[in-house]
């Protein structure tokens, strides 16, 4: 099944002391994710006021603070989006809570915060899915312990909601145009399982259509997971070759302070 | 400012050391990262990272600070207002006059020069005619500041945060200071390009982001291309869909080749008034410690700065007729730098908690033997008891105690400021260096 | 002569007539609990510091402090181990408008717990201040006219309760259903302000449902 | 001479999440009030020696504007006079007043953003606030009664209308709001429009008559159709009812 | 900063234990709603919904304005949800909390994006004049399940609302006051409702240790504080999903989500009928007329 | 409690009138002088220090009115005075820079100064043609210099220790029309000069001969510094003039004070 994640660009992969960042590209959707921290809880208070937070491990672990910045030039016709655009905030919450389910926060203790800054540089559909994948990839890269990748994918259904034809076949990973015309949903699962962590459907669709779409999306998630995993392994080998692995150890030890 | 660059805590000893090492006169300042005073931090840059934009660039400093700039252009109708016509044409004429005048004879004002200047105004008009302004009206290419919209995004800062506002205004100022830039956006009398520059600091601000943002913007503008105009004169503009045919906002040229090459390019360019080989502005951050002038200071360095200024320069037309040009060694390119704007930056050092010598400890106040005040007591503080009570304290506050760093007080000396600006502008100086560097980046 | 009426959530421990002239206290169910010395309260441990527990008595109010030594047999060596979220039954030992209230889980005179201390397991129910006051009356059935508990007891249910002046009631029993029933009985009595007879009816109904 | 159709009605402690609550409807207004407190005030707001009194007025439709802010300011300064703020230092007493029904003028289509006068709503707000405070058992030095009076001129003769309708307010020359404590002291007066000192004094008199017909404080003066409802008595009876219901078991 | 007290460990343990065994504090079944009541004001477009101890009041207002330039043929339709300290001191004025944002987003998606209200019918003069319909939602008392209750309140209020009648002679637009002409209802296309499922982890059923998700409907505030994740499904009685949102939280089997969605349909049908019936009653009441005063008294309660 | 809530202003804002032709300045001033300044301190009793500044009347007149409070605020982290200037964002920011240099911060640990500058009337010459709106920037300089002067007077009035009284001054490179050569003027009045090429506004400590804030913008020809230096010198002169006014005013205040005691 065609999952257009073939064009990942890891040219900008960088590891330094406390910051890791990743440029992930899905179709023409281009997202950059930066993980900072973990650092003192109250740091999150004053700086990223607009970020959405979610405690991990039932409050016993570190807090995840997610803030999304959608560049004005990301869309075809430039639009400036206010910091507290409710739609963005909703996505932030969804991502924060979603990741909280995967991240082993107790490794850090309750008073610490991990900042996840997502920058959308170019946007062409499957935004939420892209953001989620980028975030979990960056988290892995940052050496934050997780039970499994949190992977997401969109699935749509041909023909509009009114027509109740069962023949309508689902399709995967929609771009902006498709999103505007077809009903679709975003599904985020924990790794390759069928466990739904997050699910967002914003379009009107026959109840009967739901199952098909979810199934397709779930498959997409599996594929995405394998891909992310591949990326991480490649980078691991790269680091070994460069002998950077030693540095990697420094990094992981730094996390735990 | 303290909000823009995260506050870092240094021990009094560290501060004292930093300040000491940076203010060394011989062999010159020793910077924590071992750079030369006028040396920039190494940076990686690339352009054309965003297919969806007219121009885009990305620069990251070695310390990890990273910025992305995207430029988008839209065609917009020009409101017809008699005033704008008058004002802008004047503005432009004046500009073209001012150049040759200042270049020669140091503001010696002989009418003859005015003659020749008006002349060169005319022949520029001809260029415009070629450029497709066939209309009978002797209409000059003009521009209005609100054709450009610039936005700065700093992670963790609200849009209306004073720091962000300040950055925005400085970058905008540099861009608009000489009326030239906006004129490039002129299409015809009824239409113009509206240019949106969105500057985004991707990483958390590890150091004062101004230079980074400015350089990235510069690069993005260099890479910016506008669709080629197909329509004639004042009719509704038609554009060439072929992106390859699109023309650069700042016409490209290999720096050595002179007028001829770029003249041709220019005539094809929509914005005819653009002076040949002009380059977008860059804003550099310069700081002074003691008598030393230091470029592109890092966060630690800024923490002990005596004063800091942001200097914006741009490159104007470089004409062969320049007398000085011969004197320049062939190696250095002839760049004709304009000073666009200067602003003092509130050095964070003012907020850096100072080390306290015992003498100034509140407990120790008054116990010291008096010395003659070195600062003027303001009449107010004289009639107000508090300050007058302990003049001796004031002395020790102003006197430097060895090994103790104190937040700088007062301002910068006139000469020092002048020197800083001069250092930026000097031939073969940092500004040129940087410009060359950015020139080197290939525009994908 | 005009009487200045001051409504206050609970009667001060002793009499209903305050010394101050032109001033009477009127009890009412409503309002927020305001700590008064001697009140028995049920609090939730918020967090613990060097030698204090910080205990929440009601939402949105500053925490009360509970010295770690204010427990039976507590000493520097062995202190009670209370974690955030634990329930504790305590007496208000210091209440002062200018300071956060202070609690104790031991009678200063006898040094005995006298039933105070951590409450493990069970369920915590919120009730009106009025109901709490009635349940705390020495003879709650006669004076307070709450007979549900007695009725449930006589219906053969085995359970233990603790009532806090701050509008909390803790119920525990081996059988979870019992706890549920007791809780419902009291809360419904409270919300629907049932008379003695109705209470009895309610209990009968609940017990039947349970079986 | 009154235009009040139905007498005042009130409902106390009917909201479960607030410490105290009251719904008051009179003269075409229905307002729901909730009181939370004393609760912990935010650091930046707290007053060391007193309780902070915070009033929030929310219109039925639209976000609060300058109009609501003005009302809030008036209420805040009035209420903290009768609340024993010194009893709860560093605490916050939060009063939220939600307008649910405001009299609509059948003859104009009201805009969502009403730029019209603030005053007519004031008495209802004050009453609601006081009732809610009592329901929350917040110590008060006194209760308040308040009334709005419009001075109109009809065929030459001046006429004061108590609790005027939206229509009458339009026509009125001047509009006045008074609030009195249960001791009969004047605690709040707001006037707008054109009037002479003499007129004002007359109106004040009739307002006093209306709000506290007998400052001596004996209760047996019930509703009097001529002067509109005696709110003082009303407040009292409502409280008595409340206490009775609280202590039903006694 | 006023903070809400966390439920004590005892409460957490007990409630979870109870739920696992199929019991709730108030003796409800796991999929049972609390006592639901709906009242309309004597003015049009006021709905007062009580769901257990949760109470929500919505008011609809209409005014004539200029349509957005980018959609000249549509009217304007906004739903504002500002949670006031009345519901809980945790809600600060003009500091939208996460709850508030999610709530308003859900309503937005459920009612607005699903075209329940035909916005084109609000257009009076293309590009110049249109109706702006505004729904203000006030949470008077918050004891859980805000979303479902709010959605119901909004839908009910909108269906109850009447906007002033208008007429066009040539290019002059006349808006009639209520006194002149009886107002007219909005053109309403379908009635979506939200059903929120709250999840409380899993229990293993059968000896093969198969895991099954436990979920509750119409949770109280206390229950909501303890749930591990939630999923809101909006649909109309025709079985059209208008919106599904599971904003993160603990994972749930995909199967469960599907089961929930089919159960949601049942519940939606019930709610739909409930609202229809209430509206019918109300209109009957009005036709009798002359009882406005009584109604207003009722509304106050 | 401080009202932190949004205040929606009255619906339908009013726009200032725009006259189609610039009114001629009443008084023509020589380019080597600055407009007369009226400065008065101690005008707001409630504030710990305050000052009022008004410029000689040739239109447009600019008046800044500063009231300033020194209050004990617990500021964790900062153990020094920080100025909080509430004004148009950028203006405030620059003003803050200008003042912070002058104030001896460590004299007032853990406390803050609120400086509120109210620009009663700015140079925004509303009666000049629309096209001049681009010159907002130039005008801002004038306003800023006024703010600096008036603020520093107010600070001194409040008895906050300064190293010296800051004064603001502006000089500009202007030319009437493109025939005549550009000239440098002090304290430029935007309306008077058809076209301003460059201007610079400095905040200056005369006795220390130091500059706490500088704001230069415009188009200077070539890399040569001469014009730039000239411009700076001129603006410094402007500052000195302004400063003399401050000193004089303050002296009078002192005299009065002594007179009473």
């Amino acid at each position: 099944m065609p999952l257009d994640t073939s064009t990942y660009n890891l040219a900008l992969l960088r590891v330094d002391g406390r910051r890791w960042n990743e440029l992930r590209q899905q179709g023409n959707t281009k997202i950059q994710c930066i993980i900072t921290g973990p650092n003192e809880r109250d740091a999150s208070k004053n700086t990223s006021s607009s970020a959405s937070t979610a405690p991990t491990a039932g409050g016993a672990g570190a807090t995840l603070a997610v803030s999304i910045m959608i560049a004005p030039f990301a869309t075809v016709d430039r639009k400036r989006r206010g910091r507290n655009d409710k739609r963005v905030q909703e996505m932030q919450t969804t991502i924060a809570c979603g990741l909280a389910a995967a991240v082993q926060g107790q490794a850090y203790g309750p008073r610490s915060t991990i900042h996840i800054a997502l920058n959308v540089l170019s946007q062409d559909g499957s935004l939420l899915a892209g953001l989620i994948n980028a975030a979990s990839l960056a988290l892995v890269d940052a050496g934050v312990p997780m039970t499994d990748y949190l992977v997401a994918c969109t699935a749509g259904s041909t023909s509009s909601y009114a027509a109740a034809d069962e023949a309508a076949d689902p399709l995967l990973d929609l771009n902006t145009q498709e999103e505007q015309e077809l009903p679709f949903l975003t599904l985020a699962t924990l790794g390759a399982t069928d466990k739904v962590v997050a699910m967002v459907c914003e379009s009107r669709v026959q109840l009967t259509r739901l199952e098909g779409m979810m199934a397709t999306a779930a498959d997409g998630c599996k594929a995405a997971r394998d891909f992310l995993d591949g990326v991480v392994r490649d980078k691991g080998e790269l680091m070994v070759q460069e002998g950077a692995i030693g540095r990697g150890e420094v990094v992981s030890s730094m996390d735990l302070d | 400012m303290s909000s823009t660059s995260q506050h870092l805590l240094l021990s009094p000893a560290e501060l004292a050391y930093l300040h000491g090492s940076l203010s060394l006169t011989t062999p010159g300042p020793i910077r924590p990262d071992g750079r030369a005073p006028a040396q920039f931090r190494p940076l990686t840059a690339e352009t054309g990272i965003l297919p969806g934009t007219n121009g885009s660039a990305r620069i990251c400093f070695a310390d990890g600070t990273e910025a992305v700039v995207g430029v988008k252009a839209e065609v917009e109708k020009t409101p017809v207002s008699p005033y704008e016509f008058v004002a802008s044409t004047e503005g432009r004429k004046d500009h073209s006059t001012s150049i040759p005048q200042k270049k020669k004879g140091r503001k010696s004002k002989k009418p003859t020069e005015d003659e020749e200047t008006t002349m060169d105004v005319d022949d520029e008009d001809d260029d415009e005619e070629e450029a497709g302004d066939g209309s009978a009206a002797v209409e000059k290419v003009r521009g209005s500041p609100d054709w450009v919209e610039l936005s700065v995004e700093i992670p963790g800062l609200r849009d209306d945060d004073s720091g962000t506002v300040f950055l925005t205004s400085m970058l905008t100022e540099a861009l608009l200071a000489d009326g030239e830039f906006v004129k490039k956006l002129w299409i015809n009398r009824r239409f113009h390009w509206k240019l949106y520059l969105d500057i985004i600091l991707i990483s958390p601000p590890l150091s004062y982001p101004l230079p980074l943002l400015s350089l990235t913007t510069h690069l993005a503008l260099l890479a910016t291309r506008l669709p080629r105009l197909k329509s004639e004169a004042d009719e509704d503009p038609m554009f060439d869909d072929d992106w390859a045919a699109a023309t650069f906002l700042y016409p490209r040229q290999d720096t050595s080749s002179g007028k001829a090459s770029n003249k041709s390019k220019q005539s094809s360019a929509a914005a005819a008034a653009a002076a040949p080989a002009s380059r977008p502005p860059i804003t550099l951050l310069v700081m002074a410690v003691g008598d030393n002038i230091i470029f592109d200071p890092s966060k630690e360095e800024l923490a002990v700065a005596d004063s800091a200024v942001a200097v914006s320069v741009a490159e104007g037309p470089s004409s062969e007729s320049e007398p000085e040009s011969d004197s320049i060694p062939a190696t250095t390119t002839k760049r004709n730098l304009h000073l666009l704007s200067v602003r003092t930056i509130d050095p964070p050092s003012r907020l850096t908690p100072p080390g306290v010598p015992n003498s100034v400890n509140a407990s120790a106040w008054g116990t010291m033997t008096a010395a003659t005040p070195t600062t003027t007591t303001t009449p107010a503080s004289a009639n107000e008891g508090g300050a007058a009570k302990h003049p001796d304290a004031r002395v020790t506050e102003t006197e430097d105690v060895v090994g103790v760093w104190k937040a700088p007080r007062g301002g910068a000396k006139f000469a020092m400021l002048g020197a800083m600006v001069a250092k930026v502008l000097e031939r073969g100086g940092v500004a040129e260096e940087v410009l060359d560097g950015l020139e080197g980046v290939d525009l994908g | 002569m005009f009487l200045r009426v001051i409504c206050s959530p609970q009667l001060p421990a002793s009499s209903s007539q305050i010394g101050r002239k032109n001033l009477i206290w009127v009890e009412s169910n409503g309002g927020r609990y305001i700590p008064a010395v001697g009140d028995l309260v049920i609090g939730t441990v918020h967090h613990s510091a060097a030698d204090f527990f910080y205990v929440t008595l009601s939402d949105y109010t500053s925490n009360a402090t509970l010295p770690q030594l204010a427990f039976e047999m507590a000493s520097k060596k062995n202190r009670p181990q209370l974690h955030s979220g634990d329930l504790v039954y305590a007496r208000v030992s210091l209440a002062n408008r200018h300071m956060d209230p202070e609690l104790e889980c031991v009678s200063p005179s006898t040094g005995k717990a006298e039933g105070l201390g951590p409450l493990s397991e069970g369920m915590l129910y919120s009730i009106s201040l009025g109901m709490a006051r009635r349940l705390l009356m020495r003879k709650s059935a006669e004076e307070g006219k709450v007979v549900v508990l007695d009725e449930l007891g006589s219906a053969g249910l085995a359970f233990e309760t603790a009532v806090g002046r701050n509008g909390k009631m803790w119920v525990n029993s081996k059988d979870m259903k019992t706890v549920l029933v007791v809780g419902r009985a009291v809360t419904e009595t409270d919300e629907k302000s049932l008379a003695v007879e109705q209470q009895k009816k309610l209990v009968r109904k609940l017990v039947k449902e349970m079986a | 001479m009154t235009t009040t159709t139905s007498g005042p009605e009130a409902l106390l402690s009917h909201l479960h999440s607030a410490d105290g609550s009251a719904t008051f409807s009179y003269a075409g207004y229905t307002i729901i009030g909730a009181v939370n407190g004393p609760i912990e005030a935010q650091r930046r707001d707290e007053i060391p020696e007193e309780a902070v009194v915070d009033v929030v007025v929310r219109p039925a439709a639209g976000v609060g504007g300058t109009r609501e802010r003005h009302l809030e300011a008036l209420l805040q300064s009035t209420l903290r006079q009768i609340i024993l703020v010194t009893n709860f230092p560093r605490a916050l007493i939060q009063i939220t007043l939600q307008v649910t029904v405001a009299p609509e003028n059948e003859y104009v289509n009201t805009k969502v953003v009403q730029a019209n006068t603030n005053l007519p709503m004031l008495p209802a707000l004050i009453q609601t606030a006081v009732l809610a405070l009592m329901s929350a058992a917040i110590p008060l030095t006194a209760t308040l009664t308040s009334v709005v009076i419009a001075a109109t001129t009809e065929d030459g003769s001046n006429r004061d209308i108590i609790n005027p309708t939206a229509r009458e307010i339009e026509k009125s020359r001047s509009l006045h709001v008074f609030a009195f404590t249960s001791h009969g002291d004047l605690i709040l007066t707001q006037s707008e429009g054109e009037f002479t000192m003499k007129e004002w004094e007359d109106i004040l008199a009739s307002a006093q008559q209306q709000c506290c017909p007998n400052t001596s404080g004996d209760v047996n003066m019930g509703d009097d159709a001529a002067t509109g409802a005696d709110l003082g008595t009303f407040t009292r009876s409502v409280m008595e009812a409340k206490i009775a219901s609280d202590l039903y078991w006694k | 900063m006023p903070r809400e007290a966390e439920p004590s460990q005892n409460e957490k343990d007990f409630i979870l234990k109870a739920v696992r065994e199929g019991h709730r504090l108030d003796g409800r079944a796991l999929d049972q709603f609390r006592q639901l009541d709906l009242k309309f004001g004597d003015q049009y477009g006021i709905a007062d919904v009580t769901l257990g101890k949760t109470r929500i009041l919505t008011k609809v207002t209409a005014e004539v304005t200029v349509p957005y330039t980018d959609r000249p043929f549509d009217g304007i339709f906004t739903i504002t949800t500002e949670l006031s300290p009345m519901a809980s001191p945790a809600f600060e004025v003009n500091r939208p909390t996460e709850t508030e944002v999610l709530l308003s987003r859900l309503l937005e998606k459920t009612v607005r994006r699903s075209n329940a209200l035909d916005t084109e019918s609000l257009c009076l003069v293309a590009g110049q004049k249109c109706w702006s319909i505004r729904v203000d939602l006030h949470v008077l008392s918050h004891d859980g399940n805000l979303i479902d209750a709010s959605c119901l309140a909004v839908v009910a209020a909108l269906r109850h609302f009447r906007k002033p009648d208008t007429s066009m002679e040539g290019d002059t637009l006349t808006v009639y006051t209520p006194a002149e002409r009886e107002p007219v209802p909005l053109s309403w296309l379908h009635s979506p409702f939200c059903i929120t499922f709250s999840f409380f982890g899993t229990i293993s059923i059968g000896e093969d240790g198969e895991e099954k998700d436990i979920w509750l409907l119409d949770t109280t505030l206390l229950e909501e504080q303890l749930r591990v994740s939630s999923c809101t499904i909006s649909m109309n009685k025709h079985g059209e999903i208008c919106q599904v949102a599971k904003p993160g939280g603990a994972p749930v089997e995909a199967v469960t989500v599907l089961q929930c969605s089919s159960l949601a349909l049942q519940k939606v049908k019930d709610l739909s009928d409930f609202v229809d019936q209430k509206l019918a009653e109300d209109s009957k009441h009005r036709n009798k007329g002359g009882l406005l005063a009584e109604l207003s008294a009722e509304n106050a309660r | 409690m401080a009202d932190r809530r949004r205040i929606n202003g009255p619906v339908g804002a009013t726009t200032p009138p725009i006259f189609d032709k610039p009114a001629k300045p009443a008084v023509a001033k020589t380019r080597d002088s600055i407009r007369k300044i009226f400065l008065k301190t101690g005008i707001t009793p409630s504030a710990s220090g305050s000052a009022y500044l008004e410029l000689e009347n040739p239109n447009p007149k600019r008046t800044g009115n500063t009231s300033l409070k020194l209050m004990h605020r617990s500021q964790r982290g900062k153990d020094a005075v920080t100025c909080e200037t509430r004004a148009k964002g950028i203006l405030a920011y620059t003003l803050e820079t200008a003042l912070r240099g002058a104030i001896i911060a460590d004299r007032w640990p853990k406390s803050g100064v609120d400086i509120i500058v109210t620009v009663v009337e700015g140079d925004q010459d509303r009666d000049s043609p629309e096209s001049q709106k681009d010159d907002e920037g130039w005008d801002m300089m004038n306003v800023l210099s006024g703010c600096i002067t008036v603020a520093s007077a107010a600070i001194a009035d409040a008895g906050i220790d300064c190293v010296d009284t800051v004064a603001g001054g502006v000089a500009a490179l202007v030319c009437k029309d493109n025939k005549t050569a550009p000239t440098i003027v002090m304290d430029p009045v935007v309306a008077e000069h058809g076209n301003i090429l460059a201007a610079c506004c400095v905040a200056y400590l005369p006795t220390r001969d130091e500059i706490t804030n500088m704001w230069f913008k415009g188009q200077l020809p070539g890399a040569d510094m001469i014009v730039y230096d000239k411009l700076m010198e001129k603006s410094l002169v402007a500052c000195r003039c302004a400063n003399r006014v401050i000193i004089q005013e303050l002296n009078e205040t002192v005299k009065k004070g002594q007179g009473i005691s």
Side-chain angles (χ1 to χ4, degrees), chain A residues 52-53 86-87 89-90 93 97-98 101 194-207 210-211 214, chain E residues 98 101-102 104-105 109 113-114 190 239-249 251-254 257-258 261:
Chain A
S52 309
T53 59
K86 284 186 171 160
R87 200 173 135 266
Q89 284 188 333
E90 186 192 27
T93 321
C97 300
D194 269 348
K195 287 191 169 296
V196 179
V197 172
M199 171 166 165
V200 176
C201 168
E202 303 195 336
S203 38
R204 214 163 139 187
V205 58
Q206 279 293 337
L207 174 56
L210 190 62
E211 184 162 5
M214 282 178 71
Chain E
E98 209 161 272
V101 172
L102 292 185
S104 69
R105 273 294 294 164
K109 288 188 283 188
R113 291 184 91 250
S114 74
H190 69 111
E240 285 169 357
I241 291 181
C242 303
Q243 173 278 133
V244 180
K246 182 184 183 305
V252 176
E253 287 299 332
V257 177
L258 290 169
S261 59

Side-chain angles (χ1 to χ4, degrees), chain B residues 331-369:
Chain B
T331 53
T332 60
T333 57
K334 299 196 297 297
R335 290 190 176 278
N336 174 5
L337 295 179
H338 285 247
L339 181 59
L340 290 180
S341 84
V342 181
R343 270 178 186 266
T344 41
I345 306 289
D346 194 9
S349 47
R350 293 254 183 80
L351 297 172
T352 343
V356 183
N358 295 335
S359 53
V360 199
N361 275 345
S363 55
W365 264 4
T367 61
M368 293 161 305
T369 51

Side-chain angles (χ1 to χ4, degrees), chain D residues 10 15 36 58 77 85 179 223 234:
Chain D
L15 298 183
N36 281 304
R58 291 161 57 83
S77 50
V85 282
D223 280 15
F234 169 74

Side-chain angles (χ1 to χ4, degrees), chain B residues 156-180:
Chain B
L157 282 195
R158 311 226 326 285
D159 313 12
D160 55 357
D161 178 285
S162 61
T164 320
V165 174
F166 189 62
L167 285 170
T168 318
S169 79
M170 262 195 297
L171 292 165
T172 324
E173 190 169 280
L175 208 53
L176 301 178
D178 63 348
E180 286 311 317

